[in-house]
Amino acid sequence: MDLDRELNPQQTEAVLHEGGPLLVLAGAGSGKTRALTYRIAHLVLHRGIAPWNILAITFTNKAAEEMRLRVRRLLGTEKTGIWVGTFHATCARILRQHIERLGYRKNFVIYDTADQLRVIKSSLKRLRVDAKQVRPVAIQNLLDKAKNQGIDPALLVPQQSPTGRIIEEVVADYKRRLEEANALDFGDLIVLALRLFETCPDVRASYREKFHSILVDEYQDTNRAQHLLLQQIASEGGELCVVGDDDQSIYRWRGADVNNLLAFEKDFPGTRVIALEENYRSTQTILRAADAVARGNPNRRGKRLWTRNEVGDRLVYEETMTPDEEATSIAREIQRLATELDIPYRSIGVFFRTNAQSRPFEERFLLLRIPHAVIGTMRFYERAEVKDLLAYLRFLYNPDDSVSLLRILNQPLRGIGPTTQATLQAYADEQATSLWGGIEHALEKGILSGASRGRLERFQGLIRILNQGFENHGSPEILLKTVVAQTGYKTFLEGKEDGERRLENVEEFVHTASLFQAMEEEAPGRETLGAFLQRIALVSDIDQYEDRANCVSLMTLHCAKGLEFPVVFLTGMEDGILPHQRSYTSPEALAEERRLCYVGMTRAKKKLYMSRACYRSIYGERQQTDPSPFLASIPPDVIDFRDAEDEFDEIDDADPIGIDAGNGDSVLDYGESQLDRPPLPPMPSSGRKQTYRIGERVEHETLGIGTVRNVEGTGYKEKITVQFKVGKIRKLMVQVSPLKKSS
């Protein structure tokens, strides 16, 4: 490797660092993955560290696959032996080897959020607690919050609350049910690995000895439990390198704690800090605008991004009357980019703050025949037919998994309805056994009779056949085909209205299983049903993003993290959407919203569009919106203000986004520091008469006297930019603002 030619000086410094902890502050688009992979290759090729003594932790499985591929190329081998994966995947791998030390069996299954919620509801029902009195989602949030912090959930139960005792009982029952099912939720993967290292010093010592070098990507998005785990596994004599960017910490709602990065030197004394500040992705204009937004946050690490890239086009900021007009305007601009500039659809990303905002874009894109894909909505593995087949596999792998058994008992329909299921579950609870154990016991003792007994005996026979197939080969692909054939699942789907589409999903699932062994890098023996199920359980939204199809990508800003597009549309730039109205509850939440805006802006390579709707229906009532306050941070000279086309004459009442948005007429507030800037050039008029002229004095009901600096649009779309004597610059809708001309 020719580091001088292939890396910049700061990247090279990070690659060559030896001894002691290393913190790499890597700005957006600064080549952090390149630095990480080159460091791994350097450790193997020039430092003599064996690949299996290296642990690399990434934030997503997609990032892990990319890192594996790059390392293989650098090392010139298909099999490296390096441990590469997410925190959850790494912990799951460790627990497969040692979880028996904690009282579990190795064939544990991993419950997703839907499974977790199902168990919580079952616990509430078992304890005869009204779901209206204690909401299942509230229990789920409490469990996740506690496990993200690495603490016992009981510590977060409100002791003085009347429902505190009830919550304690539900949490305890939930834990008991998971233990009975030999199941873990996502949080358990980290918490139990942490407990393993804390209670089994010999296991901790073995991994400290094994991992001579540990590298962690996206450290700003780690939670407290993951930070504690790293402290347990990193040896004092080993090398620890973490890479992160506090400006891109956007997962606080998942328990991420940016302080893990900000206080890293305190927790790991002797840390060396290297900043990667050269951006290779965006134009100078985009970078300048994004950097200005990021600087609005306090408590940032000292770094400033720069680039050798071209200056590039100015940002385009557009205001429309409604969300539907916003979507239509963006759709037509995409058509123009595709036809006039020959920009492929795959090069375009449309971002929004909440999933609900996608509705008008999907409708307009369908109407105008723009190929598109919505990322991060219904995951492939959450589709009903895939979940059904997964439940069969999980139950065959772990017969104590009552959640999966309840799903497949009557799927396809075999006459074992809710009443029979409830009776069987109650009997199993009485016998202090799993649901499957209760069914076998009931059949053996003759507890059941009549039609119910016959149906359960036939189901028992089906499971025996499937188990025989599992024992004979254990291949996920063959087992899936056996399940589909023996259960009659194909015939079951063919009888449904959308059967063809669902059968295609089944075929894709079988195909995924067939590729499993080819995708596995590790030594033979890991291509087991358990490893296959584990891989699926840990798939995230962004892991399913594919950029091969030539279509526009629609996604939330959270899903956009880690991606890049030549053209980006950042929509819904309104106060109450970005930042979200809930973020005003704390300075930390508001700061994260600003970082979220920064992340969206820095996904753009060549062109960045920002837009908002001036009116939005909030719970059926049209309200005027304010622009996002983040817009005020962007230097005006890098923005082109654009009006939507005048052909949008009707205001559409249909807007389902249920959020609270502040009223008012403030659009851009640049503050006193912007008063000396020259006025923005006037936008071209549509030919209709405008109410105001540049240079004219106006009086606002609350802001007082000001001077018109710019006039845009006509009729109900007429907007003026006014510089007020109080030190504010505001962009106002003429027809709705409390304005009058001043002499």
Side-chain angles (χ1 to χ4, degrees), residues 132-156:
K132 294 180 180 178
Q133 182 181 8
V134 178
R135 292 187 306 117
V137 173
I139 300 291
Q140 187 178 44
N141 291 339
L142 182 144
L143 289 166
D144 291 345
K145 183 177 180 181
K147 292 177 183 183
N148 287 334
Q149 296 178 30
I151 62 176
D152 187 339
L155 297 176
L156 296 182

Short mmCIF file of all heavy atoms in Angstrom, two decimals, residues 132-156:
data_model
loop_
_atom_site.label_atom_id
_atom_site.label_comp_id
_atom_site.label_asym_id
_atom_site.label_seq_id
_atom_site.Cartn_x
_atom_site.Cartn_y
_atom_site.Cartn_z
N LYS A 132 -55.12 -0.14 28.98
CA LYS A 132 -55.35 1.30 29.04
C LYS A 132 -54.74 1.90 30.30
O LYS A 132 -54.40 3.07 30.35
CB LYS A 132 -56.85 1.59 29.00
CG LYS A 132 -57.52 1.21 27.69
CD LYS A 132 -59.01 1.52 27.72
CE LYS A 132 -59.68 1.13 26.40
NZ LYS A 132 -61.15 1.39 26.42
N GLN A 133 -54.61 1.06 31.33
CA GLN A 133 -54.02 1.52 32.59
C GLN A 133 -52.50 1.60 32.48
O GLN A 133 -51.88 2.55 32.94
CB GLN A 133 -54.42 0.58 33.74
CG GLN A 133 -53.90 1.01 35.10
CD GLN A 133 -54.29 0.03 36.20
OE1 GLN A 133 -54.80 -1.05 35.92
NE2 GLN A 133 -54.02 0.40 37.45
N VAL A 134 -51.92 0.58 31.88
CA VAL A 134 -50.46 0.55 31.63
C VAL A 134 -50.27 0.22 30.16
O VAL A 134 -50.51 -0.91 29.73
CB VAL A 134 -49.77 -0.51 32.51
CG1 VAL A 134 -48.28 -0.54 32.20
CG2 VAL A 134 -49.99 -0.22 33.99
N ARG A 135 -49.84 1.19 29.39
CA ARG A 135 -49.71 0.99 27.95
C ARG A 135 -48.54 0.07 27.64
O ARG A 135 -47.43 0.26 28.16
CB ARG A 135 -49.51 2.33 27.24
CG ARG A 135 -50.74 3.23 27.30
CD ARG A 135 -50.57 4.47 26.45
NE ARG A 135 -49.36 5.20 26.76
CZ ARG A 135 -48.35 5.38 25.92
NH1 ARG A 135 -48.40 4.87 24.70
NH2 ARG A 135 -47.29 6.08 26.28
N PRO A 136 -48.74 -0.93 26.78
CA PRO A 136 -47.65 -1.85 26.41
C PRO A 136 -46.43 -1.13 25.85
O PRO A 136 -45.29 -1.49 26.15
CB PRO A 136 -48.30 -2.76 25.35
CG PRO A 136 -49.75 -2.72 25.67
CD PRO A 136 -50.02 -1.34 26.18
N VAL A 137 -46.67 -0.09 25.02
CA VAL A 137 -45.55 0.64 24.43
C VAL A 137 -44.73 1.34 25.50
O VAL A 137 -43.51 1.45 25.39
CB VAL A 137 -46.06 1.65 23.38
CG1 VAL A 137 -44.93 2.54 22.89
CG2 VAL A 137 -46.69 0.92 22.20
N ALA A 138 -45.39 1.81 26.56
CA ALA A 138 -44.67 2.47 27.66
C ALA A 138 -43.74 1.47 28.36
O ALA A 138 -42.60 1.82 28.72
CB ALA A 138 -45.66 3.08 28.65
N ILE A 139 -44.21 0.25 28.55
CA ILE A 139 -43.36 -0.79 29.14
C ILE A 139 -42.18 -1.09 28.21
O ILE A 139 -41.04 -1.24 28.65
CB ILE A 139 -44.17 -2.08 29.38
CG1 ILE A 139 -45.33 -1.81 30.34
CG2 ILE A 139 -43.27 -3.19 29.91
CD1 ILE A 139 -44.91 -1.52 31.75
N GLN A 140 -42.47 -1.19 26.92
CA GLN A 140 -41.42 -1.45 25.94
C GLN A 140 -40.36 -0.35 25.97
O GLN A 140 -39.15 -0.64 25.96
CB GLN A 140 -42.04 -1.57 24.55
CG GLN A 140 -41.07 -2.00 23.47
CD GLN A 140 -41.77 -2.14 22.13
OE1 GLN A 140 -42.57 -1.30 21.73
NE2 GLN A 140 -41.47 -3.22 21.41
N ASN A 141 -40.79 0.90 26.03
CA ASN A 141 -39.85 2.01 26.07
C ASN A 141 -39.00 1.99 27.34
O ASN A 141 -37.81 2.29 27.32
CB ASN A 141 -40.60 3.35 25.98
CG ASN A 141 -41.21 3.56 24.61
OD1 ASN A 141 -40.78 2.96 23.63
ND2 ASN A 141 -42.22 4.42 24.53
N LEU A 142 -39.64 1.64 28.46
CA LEU A 142 -38.90 1.55 29.73
C LEU A 142 -37.82 0.46 29.65
O LEU A 142 -36.68 0.67 30.08
CB LEU A 142 -39.87 1.26 30.87
CG LEU A 142 -39.28 1.19 32.29
CD1 LEU A 142 -40.27 1.76 33.30
CD2 LEU A 142 -38.95 -0.26 32.68
N LEU A 143 -38.19 -0.70 29.11
CA LEU A 143 -37.22 -1.80 28.98
C LEU A 143 -36.05 -1.39 28.09
O LEU A 143 -34.88 -1.63 28.43
CB LEU A 143 -37.91 -3.03 28.40
CG LEU A 143 -38.91 -3.76 29.31
CD1 LEU A 143 -39.76 -4.73 28.51
CD2 LEU A 143 -38.15 -4.50 30.41
N ASP A 144 -36.36 -0.77 26.95
CA ASP A 144 -35.30 -0.37 26.02
C ASP A 144 -34.39 0.69 26.65
O ASP A 144 -33.16 0.64 26.50
CB ASP A 144 -35.91 0.17 24.73
CG ASP A 144 -36.59 -0.92 23.91
OD1 ASP A 144 -36.33 -2.11 24.20
OD2 ASP A 144 -37.37 -0.60 23.00
N LYS A 145 -35.00 1.66 27.32
CA LYS A 145 -34.21 2.73 27.94
C LYS A 145 -33.25 2.16 28.98
O LYS A 145 -32.07 2.55 29.02
CB LYS A 145 -35.14 3.75 28.59
CG LYS A 145 -34.43 4.94 29.20
CD LYS A 145 -35.42 5.96 29.76
CE LYS A 145 -34.69 7.16 30.36
NZ LYS A 145 -35.66 8.15 30.93
N ALA A 146 -33.74 1.26 29.81
CA ALA A 146 -32.89 0.67 30.85
C ALA A 146 -31.75 -0.14 30.24
O ALA A 146 -30.59 -0.02 30.66
CB ALA A 146 -33.74 -0.21 31.76
N LYS A 147 -32.07 -0.95 29.25
CA LYS A 147 -31.04 -1.81 28.67
C LYS A 147 -30.03 -1.01 27.86
O LYS A 147 -28.86 -1.38 27.79
CB LYS A 147 -31.70 -2.90 27.83
CG LYS A 147 -32.48 -3.89 28.70
CD LYS A 147 -33.22 -4.95 27.91
CE LYS A 147 -34.02 -5.85 28.85
NZ LYS A 147 -34.71 -6.95 28.15
N ASN A 148 -30.47 0.09 27.25
CA ASN A 148 -29.52 0.96 26.56
C ASN A 148 -28.52 1.58 27.53
O ASN A 148 -27.38 1.88 27.17
CB ASN A 148 -30.26 2.08 25.82
CG ASN A 148 -30.97 1.58 24.58
OD1 ASN A 148 -30.58 0.57 24.00
ND2 ASN A 148 -32.02 2.27 24.17
N GLN A 149 -28.96 1.78 28.78
CA GLN A 149 -28.08 2.32 29.80
C GLN A 149 -27.30 1.24 30.54
O GLN A 149 -26.43 1.54 31.35
CB GLN A 149 -28.88 3.16 30.79
CG GLN A 149 -29.54 4.38 30.20
CD GLN A 149 -30.36 5.16 31.22
OE1 GLN A 149 -30.05 5.15 32.41
NE2 GLN A 149 -31.41 5.81 30.76
N GLY A 150 -27.66 -0.01 30.29
CA GLY A 150 -26.97 -1.12 30.96
C GLY A 150 -27.38 -1.29 32.41
O GLY A 150 -26.59 -1.74 33.24
N ILE A 151 -28.64 -0.94 32.73
CA ILE A 151 -29.10 -1.04 34.11
C ILE A 151 -30.34 -1.92 34.19
O ILE A 151 -30.97 -2.22 33.18
CB ILE A 151 -29.42 0.34 34.71
CG1 ILE A 151 -30.55 1.03 33.92
CG2 ILE A 151 -28.18 1.23 34.74
CD1 ILE A 151 -30.99 2.35 34.52
N ASP A 152 -30.68 -2.32 35.40
CA ASP A 152 -31.88 -3.13 35.64
C ASP A 152 -33.11 -2.28 35.37
O ASP A 152 -33.25 -1.18 35.91
CB ASP A 152 -31.88 -3.62 37.09
CG ASP A 152 -32.99 -4.62 37.38
OD1 ASP A 152 -33.98 -4.63 36.62
OD2 ASP A 152 -32.87 -5.36 38.37
N PRO A 153 -34.06 -2.77 34.54
CA PRO A 153 -35.29 -1.99 34.26
C PRO A 153 -36.05 -1.59 35.52
O PRO A 153 -36.72 -0.56 35.53
CB PRO A 153 -36.11 -2.94 33.39
CG PRO A 153 -35.10 -3.80 32.71
CD PRO A 153 -34.01 -3.99 33.72
N ALA A 154 -35.92 -2.38 36.59
CA ALA A 154 -36.63 -2.07 37.83
C ALA A 154 -36.20 -0.72 38.40
O ALA A 154 -36.97 -0.05 39.10
CB ALA A 154 -36.39 -3.16 38.87
N LEU A 155 -34.99 -0.28 38.07
CA LEU A 155 -34.49 1.00 38.58
C LEU A 155 -35.21 2.19 37.96
O LEU A 155 -35.15 3.29 38.51
CB LEU A 155 -32.97 1.11 38.33
CG LEU A 155 -32.09 0.08 39.04
CD1 LEU A 155 -30.64 0.25 38.63
CD2 LEU A 155 -32.24 0.22 40.56
N LEU A 156 -35.86 1.99 36.82
CA LEU A 156 -36.55 3.08 36.15
C LEU A 156 -38.05 3.09 36.44
O LEU A 156 -38.76 3.97 35.98
CB LEU A 156 -36.33 3.00 34.63
CG LEU A 156 -34.90 3.17 34.14
CD1 LEU A 156 -34.86 3.11 32.61
CD2 LEU A 156 -34.29 4.47 34.63
#
